[in-house]
Amino acid sequence: AGATGWAELGFLALRSGDLDRAGELFERGLTIPTSFWLTERPRLLIGSAMVRLARGEVDGASDLIEQARSYAEERSMRHLEPAVALALGQTRFASGDMIGALEQFERAANLAQEMRMRPLALEALDGAVRVLGLPERDEEAARYQVRLREAVEDIRGQIKDPDMLQSFDRAHGVPVHG
């Protein structure tokens, strides 16, 4: 299951800011044949795209996301649609296409919520709130802030471990009452 492991470790390295390590792990997953090599291909392409995006290579990131979208679509991998839409939203945001970014973040949030992919829905709603952070979009932003708060509360309600809940709260700006 090397491709699955490399994808997970790649996203972990990406979140921690280690772009070189993340890029290396995604590249391994894309080039070294394993049992889940083909199944994980769209996620590995998205991960590679996010590394490029973090490096300011928007066009290269867009190309990889298009490859992921096409691959997943051709194989009816519907469960990957929210992740593809989120990645499209991120690249459109980075390229300055705020309307396109908002459309993709909305699509990602709706699909993820429908599929009960709570963390992905949370990330997509956060992206929409960033797009709508522009002063002329205050009313629309308020609606997304409500959805974002609801998504955070939904996830909080699922966490039973007090230490994990505290960590989640810190990561999502939830005030800690003591």
Side-chain angles (χ1 to χ4, degrees):
T4 301
W6 288 324
E8 293 302 322
L9 291 171
F11 283 110
L12 183 62
L14 187 61
R15 281 188 189 91
S16 68
D18 190 346
L19 300 181
D20 291 336
R21 181 74 175 140
E24 174 188 314
L25 290 163
F26 293 130
E27 187 62 25
R28 274 191 201 170
L30 287 166
T31 58
I32 299 173
T34 65
S35 300
F36 292 99
W37 185 41
L38 299 175
T39 305
E40 292 292 346
R41 184 165 181 75
R43 291 182 61 230
L44 292 160
L45 287 166
I46 289 169
S48 293
M50 293 300 100
V51 169
R52 286 196 180 181
L53 193 61
R55 290 182 171 147
E57 301 169 21
V58 178
D59 290 339
S62 295
D63 292 343
L64 290 171
I65 292 166
E66 181 53 34
Q67 288 178 43
R69 186 204 57 74
S70 179
Y71 187 94
E73 192 174 278
E74 289 168 6
R75 289 157 183 81
S76 301
M77 301 171 99
R78 188 172 187 284
H79 66 285
L80 294 172
E81 286 179 32
V84 169
L86 176 63
L88 281 169
Q90 292 167 328
T91 56
R92 291 192 177 154
F93 183 81
S95 69
D97 176 6
M98 296 307 152
I99 292 171
L102 185 58
E103 287 171 357
Q104 291 302 318
F105 286 139
E106 173 72 14
R107 183 172 172 359
N110 290 339
L111 288 168
Q113 287 177 323
E114 178 183 304
M115 295 179 192
R116 307 293 289 162
M117 297 175 169
R118 291 177 180 101
L120 202 144
L122 186 66
E123 199 171 343
L125 290 168
D126 185 55
V129 167
R130 278 190 328 227
V131 169
L132 295 169
L134 306 171
E136 64 271 12
R137 309 294 290 265
D138 286 343
E139 188 176 311
E140 213 173 345
R143 286 194 303 270
Y144 277 92
Q145 284 284 5
V146 168
R147 285 184 66 192
L148 180 59
R149 279 193 302 274
E150 288 171 352
V152 167
E153 287 306 314
D154 182 38
I155 293 173
R156 286 187 87 247
Q158 303 296 316
I159 301 172
K160 304 301 179 210
D161 181 272
D163 292 333
M164 288 180 78
L165 182 61
Q166 189 175 35
S167 178
F168 177 84
D169 287 348
R170 274 194 307 272
H172 292 83
V174 176
V176 179
H177 303 290

